[in-house]
Amino acid sequence: MHNRLTSFIIERHEILFSLQFGFRRKHSTCHSLISLTNNIASDIDRGHLAAGVFIDLSKAFDTLDHQILFSKLEHYGVRGVALQWIRSYLSNRKQFVQIKDTRSEFYEIKCGVPQGSILGPLLFILYVNDLQRALKQATSSLFADDTSIYYSHSDIKQLEATLNSELQSLDIWMKSNKLSVNISKSNYLIFHPSQENLRLNLTLKYDDQILVQKQHVKFLGVYLDENLSWKIHINYISKKYQNLLE
């Protein structure tokens, strides 16, 4: 079934969002990072301020709504026996908790995809495939549930206004798809040339909560800093290998 879905959705009809880099053949974290950093560098070179918002989803794989998933699969053309098979695959699953000899009652699982399964990741990236459609001007970059939103502009007020508008649209999409954002782990960076010692402050809100501005973030295992200097990541790697040698 995984091979059939991959052939139908990715290879034959190219339905997947082009900037979804997770769980796809010939795609990796490197491709996602290269795409994002190339855009940032290009916009900085032409005098724009570039902002990246890094969104942390709360237990995204576990909260995926089955009925919404089935509707999206049908919209993409997965119908008939194939859709019935997927419904059967996800339905009537039960779970329990056991501590030593004590076991809880069985409870039916009504959301989420099976962890560790080959179909789970593919069904998830199909579930979030239309996230970009919620945005009008900003660009999203996805690696499974790792989500970033990128936008640049020469005017800081316009940058702030547009990003807040896009975050509001993203909030509506998340709630409509029954996904939750962990605000405490979501933040943003303003990228700018290293020779310009700027301290630009934006007030960006998600669901009426203010996002924290950072000078560097860890994204897909790599530290990105506001100047794209890579100094923080190089220091991190150096210390890591020094500790291994010791």
Side-chain angles (χ1 to χ4, degrees):
M1 180 57 73
H2 181 276
N3 290 339
R4 288 182 63 185
L5 277 175
T6 300
S7 175
F8 177 80
I9 289 169
I10 300 178
E11 297 170 1
R12 194 186 309 172
H13 296 289
E14 298 182 351
I15 290 171
L16 275 187
F17 175 49
S18 61
L19 296 181
Q20 169 62 266
F21 297 95
F23 303 112
R24 298 180 62 183
R25 293 174 184 170
K26 300 180 181 180
H27 289 71
S28 69
T29 54
C30 291
H31 293 97
S32 179
L33 287 162
I34 290 170
S35 173
L36 178 62
T37 54
N38 277 351
N39 286 334
I40 294 169
S42 296
D43 286 332
I44 288 176
D45 286 344
R46 60 195 184 105
H48 280 201
L49 294 169
V53 183
F54 300 89
I55 306 294
D56 184 82
L57 296 180
S58 300
K59 298 182 179 180
F61 280 75
D62 296 326
T63 57
L64 180 152
D65 184 271
H66 290 170
Q67 296 308 315
I68 295 175
L69 172 64
F70 298 149
S71 296
K72 291 188 177 188
L73 289 174
E74 188 171 15
H75 171 74
Y76 291 137
V78 181
R79 301 175 183 136
V81 175
L83 183 58
Q84 290 175 15
W85 188 94
I86 294 172
R87 284 180 182 272
S88 175
Y89 174 71
L90 293 177
S91 300
N92 299 318
R93 288 180 174 268
K94 299 181 185 297
Q95 64 182 9
F96 66 90
V97 176
Q98 181 171 336
I99 300 176
K100 295 184 178 179
D101 296 328
T102 304
R103 178 183 294 184
S104 72
E105 296 180 10
F106 281 90
Y107 287 93
E108 186 176 352
I109 301 172
K110 297 182 179 180
C111 59
V113 290
Q115 295 287 335
S117 66
I118 190 171
L119 271 180
L122 179 58
L123 293 175
F124 179 81
I125 63 176
L126 286 170
Y127 190 85
V128 299
N129 191 55
D130 60 331
L131 184 151
Q132 176 61 36
R133 292 182 177 272
L135 307 176
K136 295 179 180 179
Q137 298 185 62
T139 301
S140 62
S141 181
L142 310 174
F143 193 93
D145 59 339
D146 285 303
T147 305
S148 64
I149 297 175
Y150 176 77
Y151 182 70
S152 69
H153 202 279
S154 57
D155 181 74
I156 189 169
K157 291 184 178 179
Q158 185 62 43
L159 181 71
E160 182 180 68
T162 300
L163 279 174
N164 275 314
S165 176
E166 298 291 57
L167 287 169
Q168 187 176 14
S169 297
L170 180 67
D171 181 34
I172 294 171
W173 185 92
M174 289 288 182
K175 289 175 178 175
S176 299
N177 287 274
K178 299 184 179 181
L179 295 175
S180 300
V181 171
N182 188 338
I183 301 295
S184 64
K185 293 184 179 180
S186 301
N187 41 59
Y188 72 94
L189 261 70
I190 303 175
F191 299 96
H192 57 84
S194 57
Q195 62 269 26
E196 297 180 16
N197 190 22
L198 301 176
R199 283 294 172 263
L200 301 171
N201 294 312
L202 303 181
T203 302
L204 298 183
K205 292 183 178 181
Y206 181 91
D207 195 19
D208 292 326
Q209 297 185 61
I210 296 176
L211 294 176
V212 176
Q213 180 179 352
K214 298 283 190 177
Q215 291 182 306
H216 66 269
V217 297
K218 192 175 185 180
F219 180 62
L220 299 178
V222 174
Y223 282 98
L224 299 177
D225 62 80
E226 58 188 359
N227 303 131
L228 281 188
S229 68
W230 306 108
K231 291 180 181 178
I232 294 173
H233 186 70
I234 291 169
N235 289 335
Y236 164 73
I237 295 297
S238 297
K239 289 179 180 178
K240 185 177 179 180
Y241 279 99
Q242 284 176 4
N243 292 334
L244 288 174
L245 292 173
E246 292 174 357

